[in-house]
Amino acid sequence: MMHPHSTAQSRLHSLSLVLCLALSAAYLGACSQSEHEDHEDHEAEHDEHEADQDSHGVVELTASQLSAAGVEVLEVGPGEILEQLTLSAVVAANMDAVQHVNPRVPGIIISIEKHLGEQVEKGDLLCTLASVDLGAAAAECLRAKALVSSAEKSLEQSRALFELRIDTSTRVMDGAVASNQAIFDLEQELQAKGVSTVRPLIEAERTLKNSILERERVLTDLAAKRDEKLLESMVDLREKRILATASENRLLALGVEPAGLNQSSDLVRGIYRIHAAQQGIVSARHITPGEFVNGMSELYTIQDLSSVWIVASAYETDLRHIRVGQRAFVHLNAFPDLQLWGEVSMVEYEIDRATRAVGVRIELDNQQLDSWPEQFPLRPGMFGRVEVVTSRRQAEVCVPESAIVHGDDGDAVFVETAKGVFERRAVKVRGGIHAVVEVLVGLKAGDRIAASRTFMLKSIERQAELGGGHSH
């Protein structure tokens, strides 16, 4: 038989056990529900992460966004790639068009007509000097010409006088011969009639023959004297002409034209005018009024800047890549947006001992530029660079350099997979010039890519990565 208190305790214990079991069941149910909800949240986050992973590198733009961004899309394909050798360069004067002006006679500078920086044309007066040597040379030339003229007149007068003497003697001798001929004819007639003896006939015949011989002798003697005198005069004239020619040549050697030289000419007073032999710019002037100069003095330097030399420096290790006739693109520091082109006209023959470089020459016309409409804008001394095209090759896929996105993980491009949808794709490129590169890996002909303003696409992509959302 049980104790009543013990029975009550037993019932209380049973009730407590049932309550504990109910609370345990409730707690376990709650825990199970919480774990299920946590599992569902984790799966949702996982799915969203996978979706983000799938959308990484993809930029989607609406039509209006694409238009506002100004992204140019083009279809890639084959093309020509130019390989280059980039060299430092400097603009130099065309040494074939530089004139150093020197006087040909010593003298004193009395006037200066052209000054530093002025433009001159061929034949323009540069300066004037007074030269004693020129005055003496001009006077000697005038004297030589006067002696030639005098000798010519003397020769003509001697020829005329001798012709007159010969003509007069011929008439006198012919008269004597005719008279003796008449006497001889008369004696023959008288002899035939038997009126005269033989002796007068013989005398008349001898006299006739003597007169004929005398005429021949006199005329021959006069002709010989004439020829002798004229020969002497001609020799003298020839010598004077030689001296006159020498004096004219001396003036020509001094840069003076002897034609028109006379006593009133400035040349006789030693006035020596120096003219420009070519057009150009006065790049140097080394004289002042009153200064004494001679043949060793450089008065001016005139440069024809209508063309200039671009002299690039190529190291000896690069020489094997350079040939005369190769195309070269010139970029100058003074005009960063300007590209000029020409051809290699000369590779110099001597290596500079200090720099171990060889000059590579490109000749360019020096025409006005839109960016700087000054005359002769390419000025000697300007620095720049030259890109010498060393080879050409055909590439299967060419893209503009502006399409390449450079990053820490390598190069990439944005490929348009659908209208307004761009996918970032890694590529491997090989460089060229004119902002065109060859794509070796990552693209094929026919792909459409963003060719410009790729920095905007990269920026949008980066913002999306940082914000954890899609690239819209």
Side-chain angles (χ1 to χ4, degrees), residues 116-141:
L116 190 64
E118 291 187 4
Q119 185 172 356
V120 299
E121 299 294 333
K122 182 177 180 179
D124 284 355
L125 179 63
L126 300 177
C127 63
T128 304
L129 57 86
S131 172
V132 175
D133 290 4
L134 177 62
E140 178 61 28
C141 185

Side-chain angles (χ1 to χ4, degrees), residues 1-15:
M1 177 175 171
M2 296 182 59
H3 193 276
H5 179 70
S6 300
T7 303
Q9 286 180 343
S10 174
R11 289 177 179 175
L12 181 62
H13 176 74
S14 298
L15 182 61

Side-chain angles (χ1 to χ4, degrees), residues 99-103 109-116 118-129 272-289 298-303:
Q99 179 197 6
H100 298 283
V101 182
N102 301 81
I109 299 295
I110 58 176
S111 70
I112 296 174
E113 307 299 332
K114 295 297 180 181
H115 304 275
L116 190 64
E118 291 187 4
Q119 185 172 356
V120 299
E121 299 294 333
K122 182 177 180 179
D124 284 355
L125 179 63
L126 300 177
C127 63
T128 304
L129 57 86
Y272 184 49
R273 294 181 175 87
I274 299 177
H275 300 267
Q278 67 174 39
Q279 67 173 5
I281 301 294
V282 178
S283 60
R285 194 201 85 185
H286 307 286
I287 53 173
T288 55
E298 183 174 332
L299 311 184
Y300 290 92
T301 300
I302 298 176
Q303 295 182 353

